[in-house]
Amino acid sequence: MTTTVFLDLGKQPITNNFLKIQNPPNEFFYNLKIMFNEETKLVSLVDFVPPEKMFNETYAHRASMSLTMREAYKELSLKIKDRFNPKSILEIGSNDGVFLKNFLDIGPIGVEPCKNLAEITNSMNIKTYANFWNISLSNKVSNDNGKFEFIYSANTISHIQNLEEAISAVDNILTDNGVFVLEDPSLLEVLKNISYDQFYDEHAYVFSVTAINNLLKRTELEIFDIEKLTTHGGSNRIYIKKKKNKLNTSKIVSSTLKFEEDFGIDKLETYQKFAKSVEKSKNDLCSIFQNLKSKNNKIIGYGATYKSSTILNYCGLNSECIEYFVDTTKNKQGKFTPGTHIPIIKPDNYLKNDINFVFLGAWNFKNEIFNKEKKYIDNGGKFITHVPFPQII
Ligand code: DWN
């Protein structure tokens, strides 16, 4: 047996299933279990949820909803123009165009299976294919537009269950001198920060650089550079090229692989230890909530993230624990969190002072939120977070 299940996060709903009514009949649940493959070093969900159930015309997440991400994508686009100056660009998982809108001068192409999002980008002059990324789509896109000098995919390749096909489809449509950039949450950061909420239906995989490197060994592609990012709680931006492309390979590639090896990313014991820390994190977070609720504190949530769905459902935090969530995403407002049925409302300009504690669902945007809510904090308002360990801040 090369794969071992190391974590069971229990019954979980579809994270995109923001509910129109609080207690709907027949809500869909599946078992969220995570496994480690000792041969490939890949960490993945045991049971995949059918993609059509997750990525469809009701998709709520809008990547442009945070200033942090708008600025990060703007900065990245300048860097790409400066370093590679591509004449053609494709984004796999183009969401609402927050990245590609910086390349309107070269006729960017998007791929986005969520039709409501593809409609937005098509109306922004970004030709978008509202389909799932696979070999057959890559053939169609290349027949229509030719091959691409630059392919970017952030927070998407980890969502594609048929990983080998997704990578072959990229290889198929990349020019010989082209660059493919894959950006996804870092498994190392998940392990270090006990941020087990990176495991949910959409994240079929959480990648280490080691696992991506192993995967590419079986293809015509290889890693030549890596950037470590703070976005989404710690991500890797992995630069990939064809093996025959003579671009220099940065020393950061071998040093990152060595660092991950020293951390034990290739050892089952690391994951078994992580699973124990996850259980402790759950118990400690539940104790914080029990204690605060027993003193009748008013607790709300900030950012009804997909990630937080794992925490809420695993820890059993429902509307008795968290009165409501505030979230800037229009598609979530007036709805209820999946599985735990907590109302989601449009935020006022600032948090009111009758709120005693705020659970940080969007902990990955802590700095942006703390800047915005300075007045609440200065007046003694407190936040609850579970990363890197449950605490009140
Ligand atoms: O990979 C994925 C990531 C990139 O986006 C997807 N599978 C789904 C989604 O996951 P998420 O919901 O965990 O992502 P975010 O970007 O952490 O979500 C932040 C949420 O918080 C958004 O709904 C917007 C909201 N927010 C807010 O209400 N006020 C965010 C900020 C910064 C704020 O000030």
Side-chain angles (χ1 to χ4, degrees):
M1 243 331 236
T2 49
T3 56
T4 308
V5 179
F6 64 89
L7 186 61
D8 185 346
L9 294 168
K11 256 177 55 174
Q12 294 282 344
I14 301 282
T15 50
N16 183 53
N17 193 17
F18 295 95
L19 305 164
K20 290 196 182 114
I21 52 170
Q22 194 161 19
N23 294 304
N26 309 323
E27 193 177 355
F28 177 87
F29 286 90
Y30 70 100
N31 279 318
L32 178 57
K33 289 188 192 156
I34 328 294
M35 64 186 184
F36 172 63
N37 185 318
E38 288 194 62
E39 199 179 304
T40 62
K41 313 301 177 196
L42 254 180
V43 166
S44 66
L45 303 195
V46 174
D47 298 309
F48 292 146
V49 170
E52 299 75 15
K53 272 194 186 292
M54 303 183 281
F55 309 111
N56 50 44
E57 64 293 341
T58 68
Y59 201 71
H61 176 72
R62 296 276 309 265
S64 64
M65 279 300 118
S66 90
L67 178 67
T68 313
M69 293 317 294
R70 287 196 300 276
E71 285 182 350
Y73 286 125
K74 174 97 195 141
E75 195 189 314
L76 172 63
S77 66
L78 294 174
K79 200 185 262 183
I80 291 169
K81 286 177 192 181
D82 191 44
R83 185 169 174 189
F84 303 106
N85 192 22
K87 300 285 175 298
S88 53
I89 188 161
L90 168 76
E91 185 180 10
I92 304 165
S94 46
N95 197 275
D96 61 1
V98 63
F99 169 71
L100 281 186
K101 72 175 186 194
N102 299 299
F103 292 90
L104 288 177
D105 53 331
I106 56 168
I109 306 291
V111 168
E112 177 50 71
C114 304
K115 292 199 171 46
N116 56 330
L117 298 172
E119 255 171 43
I120 297 174
T121 44
N122 271 315
S123 74
M124 290 161 68
N125 275 336
I126 297 170
K127 181 173 164 190
T128 309
Y129 293 79
N131 304 92
F132 287 101
W133 180 247
N134 54 28
I135 295 275
S136 117
L137 182 66
S138 76
N139 284 333
K140 176 164 174 44
V141 175
S142 132
N143 284 340
D144 293 353
N145 308 281
K147 296 197 177 205
F148 288 83
E149 291 184 10
F150 200 91
I151 302 179
Y152 180 65
S153 189
N155 304 304
T156 300
I157 300 296
S158 60
H159 297 51
I160 304 180
Q161 297 166 5
N162 192 342
L163 185 55
E164 298 209 4
E165 179 171 353
I167 297 292
S168 299
V170 168
D171 189 15
N172 194 25
I173 199 174
L174 189 69
T175 60
D176 285 351
N177 293 321
V179 172
F180 167 44
V181 170
L182 177 160
E183 188 173 316
D184 275 295
S186 152
L187 178 62
L188 184 75
E189 295 302 318
V190 170
L191 297 174
K192 284 202 305 205
N193 294 317
I194 323 297
S195 46
Y196 63 94
D197 50 351
Q198 290 290 10
F199 295 113
Y200 54 90
D201 54 351
E202 296 187 1
H203 285 180
Y205 306 92
V206 178
F207 295 135
S208 59
V209 175
T210 305
I212 294 292
N213 193 50
N214 288 343
L215 178 75
L216 295 183
K217 278 183 190 154
R218 303 195 293 273
T219 71
E220 290 310 308
L221 301 169
E222 66 184 7
I223 303 174
F224 70 96
D225 203 357
I226 299 166
E227 277 176 68
K228 291 171 190 171
L229 311 172
T230 53
T231 46
H232 292 298
S235 300
N236 287 315
R237 181 177 287 153
I238 303 180
Y239 290 77
I240 295 167
K241 64 175 184 66
K242 301 227 180 199
K243 285 178 183 154
K244 59 184 160 198
N245 177 343
K246 298 284 173 240
L247 270 175
N248 287 338
T249 297
S250 161
K251 286 198 180 88
I252 197 170
V253 179
S254 53
S255 64
T256 304
L257 291 170
K258 171 85 174 63
F259 192 86
E260 287 193 348
E261 189 186 348
D262 291 346
F263 185 87
I265 214 129
D266 54 346
K267 305 247 167 8
L268 177 61
E269 301 83 81
T270 305
Y271 300 92
Q272 288 166 333
K273 209 169 129 207
F274 169 75
K276 290 208 173 85
S277 306
V278 170
E279 212 181 321
K280 175 165 170 28
S281 176
K282 171 187 177 168
N283 293 337
D284 292 352
L285 186 64
C286 289
S287 299
I288 290 178
F289 270 92
Q290 271 157 14
N291 183 28
L292 296 179
K293 284 317 278 184
S294 70
K295 293 175 186 143
N296 291 324
N297 282 295
K298 176 167 173 161
I299 308 177
I300 69 148
Y302 205 114
T305 57
Y306 289 51
K307 289 185 290 295
S308 62
S309 185
T310 294
I311 304 290
L312 302 176
N313 284 282
Y314 177 59
C315 298
L317 301 173
N318 56 20
S319 55
E320 283 170 23
C321 310
I322 297 176
E323 214 162 287
Y324 57 84
F325 264 90
V326 290
D327 197 293
T328 49
T329 313
K330 281 205 183 67
N331 294 342
K332 298 180 185 174
Q333 294 163 2
K335 297 190 179 153
F336 300 87
T337 57
T340 47
H341 308 170
I342 303 170
I344 305 169
I345 64 166
K346 183 176 174 206
D348 288 326
N349 283 342
Y350 299 102
L351 286 173
K352 300 266 185 312
N353 286 314
D354 66 328
I355 299 162
N356 308 111
F357 294 90
V358 180
F359 173 65
L360 260 183
W363 56 269
N364 45 318
F365 294 116
K366 188 169 98 182
N367 294 346
E368 181 175 340
I369 293 169
F370 281 14
N371 276 337
K372 215 185 285 180
E373 302 298 347
K374 200 170 171 325
K375 199 164 149 218
Y376 169 75
I377 295 168
D378 288 346
N379 284 331
K382 298 261 185 273
F383 287 84
I384 306 169
T385 186
H386 66 286
V387 177
F389 56 86
Q391 59 185 308
I392 293 171
I393 39 178

